[in-house]
């Protein structure tokens, strides 16, 4: 397995996810256009999409940070205990720079 390829694949996937979220997280139509109840729905859905969007952006930033560190001795090491973080965990939770034990 080539870690650079895996990280780049994950970056691409995350970017297309962000684009999808941003497309549906557009402005909510005014009250009279869609009615009160569906407006509430729209607001609820929007906060779900906003949360997902925020998470995807954190993920993207994390993936890029790992890519920057690739090839350096500190790549894949926990920021706290300096033990090696399994690559599967890096792909799963790239926004974290801690191992499972040190993760807050
Ligand atoms: Zn640790």
């Amino acid at each position: 397995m080539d870690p650079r390829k895996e990280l780049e694949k994950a970056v691409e996937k995350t970017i297309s996810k962000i684009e999808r979220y941003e497309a549906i997280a557009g402005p909510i139509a005014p009250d009279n256009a869609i009615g009160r109840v569906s407006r509430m729905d729209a607001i609820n859905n929007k906060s779900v999409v906003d949360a997902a969007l925020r998470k995807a952006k954190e993920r993207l930033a994390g993936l890029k940070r790992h890519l920057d560190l690739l090839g350096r001795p500190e790549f894949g090491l926990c920021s706290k205990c300096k033990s090696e973080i399994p690559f599967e965990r890096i792909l799963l939770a790239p926004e974290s720079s801690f191992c499972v034990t040190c993760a807050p």
Side-chain angles (χ1 to χ4, degrees), residues 78 80-83 98-99 102:
C78 171
K80 197 169 170 190
C81 71
K82 308 292 170 204
S83 70
F98 299 109
C99 71
C102 300

